[in-house]
């Protein structure tokens, strides 16, 4: 009886310990779909400063391209028109009127794309193991190198009245940033950029002109 | 993870040797499987049930109806989310993986109702000590982890089932509360709280010799 209880107890202990260790190792985050790494960040002024006070905007047709200068990080112009049109359409749906005379505008909209490549080296040090009959030992560590190119589409809204010519004082009242991994086909990039810009606005309803 | 594994193994060995060397005292070692239901700020961050958890608990019966205990437990709360995170001057959205890793290290006392030899015995108890907490947020290509220490309270109640002279089973319900601190992930002051439910097996002294 005592021996049976001992074996039962030992089995229970082993099961609980093994289950805990196994489950602890499970971090389920290994998606290979670039769209799942897209993040939308909107930065805003105090919400009480909006209240529909911005109604007219002026926007340049050009989209600024900013890279980190490393080889192979030039940015295609393929997405410029899409970005311009999506921002224009979202502003229109918020009740904004586009004007072409800066003097009559409340805000200035500027558009930019950035990208940057980061290189990583990961070193893996596996746990040592316990052998049966042959004694324990260690696995050799190994390394892997990889690079990730991330890009951002940045929409900036600047309050024209707060601008002070001749100074560097910032008058930015809103920024919408779509950040993600630069990967995938042109059509999926179109979808991601389109959805990302829409998201920038849909989570910024305080910008509405009415 | 490696350190936690060794820590648990060392604790198990130490507690087992304690059982053997203090056989004249009525000691008992419990291993439990723990579930956790988040509440309050914890629920705001991860709203789903934690079904990944365990506990090791050493009890010394100083009287037939009273025990003192030391326990180490662990529960991880996880949720995949697309909820927007609102910060003071920013909003962030995207697919996220949110984790709360809790490691309570507690000392406490329990009172048992009824006779101490047979059948089922209800018990109530109170524990306090330290909570080691890890919060982790994965969003986009970013991965933020913060580890903090908290003071912790844990009232509990449950049932002990006397299986035989050498072992018990236990079902316990506890309220777990860790004092607040400012989270670097959300920028807000958050406290941790959850309801714990454990299913355990206990080895009475005399079991391992």
């Amino acid at each position: 009886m005592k021996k049976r209880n001992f074996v039962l107890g030992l089995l229970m202990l082993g099961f609980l310990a093994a289950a805990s260790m196994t489950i602890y190792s499970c971090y389920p985050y290994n998606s290979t779909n670039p769209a799942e790494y897209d993040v939308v960040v909107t930065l805003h002024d105090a919400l009480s400063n909006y209240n529909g006070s911005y109604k007219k905007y002026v926007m340049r047709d050009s989209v600024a391209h900013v890279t980190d200068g490393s080889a192979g990080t030039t940015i295609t112009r393929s997405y410029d028109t899409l970005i311009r049109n999506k921002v224009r359409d979202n502003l229109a749906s918020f009740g904004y009127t586009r004007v072409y005379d800066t003097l009559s505008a409340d805000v200035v909209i500027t558009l930019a794309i950035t990208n940057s490549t980061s290189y990583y080296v990961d070193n893996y040090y596996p746990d040592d193991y316990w052998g049966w009959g042959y004694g324990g030992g260690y696995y050799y560590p190994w390394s892997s190198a990889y690079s990730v190119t991330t890009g951002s589409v940045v929409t900036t809204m600047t309050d024209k009245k707060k601008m002070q010519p001749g100074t560097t004082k910032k008058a930015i009242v809103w920024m919408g940033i779509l950040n993600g991994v630069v990967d995938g086909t042109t059509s999926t990039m179109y979808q991601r950029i389109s959805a990302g810009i829409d998201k920038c606005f849909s989570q910024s309803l305080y910008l509405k002109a009415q | 993870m490696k350190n936690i594994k060794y820590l648990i193994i060392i604790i198990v060995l130490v507690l087992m040797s304690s059982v053997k060397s203090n056989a004249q005292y009525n000691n008992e070692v419990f291993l439990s499987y723990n579930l956790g239901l988040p509440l309050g700020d914890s629920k705001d961050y991860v709203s789903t049930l934690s079904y990944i958890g365990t506990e090791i608990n050493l009890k010394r019966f100083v009287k037939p109806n009273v025990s003192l205990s030391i326990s180490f437990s662990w529960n991880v709360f996880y949720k995949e989310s697309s909820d927007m995170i609102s910060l003071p001057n920013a909003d962030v959205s995207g697919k996220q993986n949110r984790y709360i890793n809790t490691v309570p290290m507690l000392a406490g006392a329990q009172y048992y109702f009824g006779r101490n030899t047979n059948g089922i015995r209800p018990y109530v108890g109170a524990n306090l000590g330290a909570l080691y907490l890890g919060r982790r947020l994965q969003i986009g290509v970013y991965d933020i982890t913060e580890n903090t220490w908290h003071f912790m309270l844990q009232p509990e109640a449950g049932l002990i089932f006397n299986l035989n002279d050498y072992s018990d089973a236990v079902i316990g319900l506890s309220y777990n509360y860790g004092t607040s601190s400012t989270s670097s992930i959300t920028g807000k002051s958050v406290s941790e709280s959850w309801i714990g439910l454990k299913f355990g097996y206990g080895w009475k002294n005399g079991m391992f010799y």
Side-chain angles (χ1 to χ4, degrees):
Chain A
M1 181 69 179
K2 194 170 179 178
K3 189 177 177 183
R4 201 191 78 182
N5 282 327
F6 176 76
V7 173
L8 178 66
L10 217 54
L11 283 173
M12 284 285 293
L13 189 150
F15 170 76
L16 285 168
S20 301
M21 290 306 111
T22 305
I23 291 168
Y24 185 77
S25 304
C26 293
Y27 278 119
Y29 193 65
N30 294 301
S31 175
T32 54
N33 179 3
E36 295 195 354
Y37 294 91
D38 287 349
V39 179
V40 170
V41 180
T42 48
L43 306 173
H44 56 79
D45 203 353
L47 296 181
S48 57
N49 290 347
Y50 296 98
N51 295 326
S53 55
Y54 304 128
K55 300 182 189 308
K56 295 177 183 175
Y57 74 96
V58 62
M59 180 172 75
R60 290 183 64 181
D61 280 336
S62 61
V63 178
H65 286 200
V66 183
T67 75
D68 62 3
S70 59
T73 55
T74 54
I75 303 171
T76 174
R77 291 276 171 193
S78 303
Y79 309 114
D80 287 13
T81 304
L82 170 71
I83 293 166
R84 203 161 40 235
N85 291 344
K86 289 302 295 183
V87 171
R88 180 198 64 200
D89 293 347
N90 274 286
L91 285 169
S93 73
F94 272 24
Y96 283 73
T97 304
R98 185 173 184 179
V99 296
Y100 296 89
D101 174 11
T102 307
L103 288 174
S104 60
D106 299 316
V107 290
V108 178
I109 303 293
T110 51
L111 306 171
I113 304 181
T114 72
N115 76 2
S116 173
T117 301
S118 300
Y119 298 89
Y120 302 92
V121 176
D122 276 353
N123 296 307
Y124 299 94
Y125 298 96
D127 292 350
D128 49 303
Y129 62 92
W130 299 325
W132 298 97
Y134 298 99
Y138 297 89
Y139 294 108
Y140 288 105
W142 71 89
S143 300
S144 68
Y146 60 97
S147 66
V148 174
T149 300
T150 57
S152 296
V153 176
V154 183
T155 307
T156 305
M157 179 183 284
T158 306
D159 186 337
K160 201 193 70 180
K161 290 175 188 166
K162 292 180 181 175
M163 287 180 173
Q164 293 182 10
T167 74
T168 56
K169 185 175 179 180
K170 294 178 176 62
I172 295 171
V173 291
W174 181 82
M175 286 182 83
I177 304 164
L178 162 65
N179 177 264
V181 177
V182 179
D183 198 4
T185 63
T186 303
S187 64
T188 57
M189 287 289 286
Y190 263 78
Q191 289 170 7
R192 290 168 59 197
I193 290 171
S194 179
I197 292 174
D198 285 346
K199 184 67 181 170
C200 284
F201 284 92
S202 68
Q203 71 181 37
S204 306
L205 298 177
Y206 46 83
L207 285 179
K208 284 191 173 184
Q210 300 90 346
Chain B
M1 191 188 89
K2 199 172 180 180
N3 291 336
I4 291 176
K5 184 171 80 174
Y6 287 136
L7 180 65
I8 291 174
I9 291 169
I10 289 167
I11 290 165
V12 170
L13 293 175
V14 167
L15 293 180
M16 285 178 178
S17 64
S18 168
V19 167
K20 186 174 180 179
S21 61
N22 295 296
Q24 68 274 28
Y25 302 109
N26 199 10
N27 290 353
E28 192 163 2
V29 179
F30 286 89
L31 272 179
S32 303
Y33 168 66
N34 286 13
L35 295 166
L37 181 68
L39 304 170
D41 294 334
S42 304
K43 185 181 178 184
D44 290 343
Y45 188 67
V46 178
S47 59
T48 50
L49 178 77
S50 163
Y51 55 90
I52 304 173
T54 190
E55 179 189 270
I56 184 165
N57 193 324
L58 172 64
K59 289 184 175 176
R60 171 178 287 198
F61 285 82
V62 292
K63 290 182 180 179
N65 285 338
V66 177
S67 68
L68 302 178
S69 66
I70 297 174
S71 66
F72 295 83
S73 56
W74 164 68
N75 261 101
V76 63
F77 299 83
Y78 163 74
K79 184 189 179 190
E80 187 180 299
S81 172
S82 296
D83 296 347
M84 189 172 75
I85 302 171
S86 289
L87 302 170
N89 279 92
D91 298 305
V92 183
S93 58
K95 186 185 171 191
Q96 304 145 47
N97 290 277
R98 301 179 180 190
Y99 302 90
I100 302 176
N101 227 321
T102 63
V103 186
M105 290 167 254
L106 306 172
Q110 295 79 35
Y111 180 80
Y112 302 82
F113 300 94
R115 296 173 62 84
N116 68 334
T117 51
N118 297 311
I120 303 170
R121 303 173 70 200
Y123 73 92
V124 293
N127 305 290
L128 54 88
L131 168 65
Y132 181 68
L133 186 96
R135 271 186 178 234
R136 183 178 178 186
L137 174 68
Q138 292 174 312
I139 181 169
V141 295
Y142 308 102
D143 191 336
I144 309 162
T145 302
E146 60 178 10
N147 296 309
T148 49
W149 287 91
H150 305 256
F151 181 70
M152 183 169 175
L153 300 168
Q154 184 197 63
E156 61 170 338
L159 299 170
I160 286 207
F161 302 84
N162 180 249
L163 300 179
N164 52 45
D165 289 344
Y166 307 105
S167 57
D168 285 328
V170 64
I171 296 176
L173 199 62
S174 60
Y175 172 70
N176 301 268
Y177 176 78
T179 51
S180 61
S181 67
T182 301
S183 168
S184 59
I185 294 174
T186 62
K188 296 173 183 170
S189 178
V190 292
S191 59
E192 305 297 338
S193 56
W194 69 98
I195 297 285
L197 177 63
K198 68 180 175 184
F199 302 92
Y201 183 88
W203 290 265
K204 296 179 184 178
N205 58 348
M207 185 72 205
F208 291 96
Y209 58 93

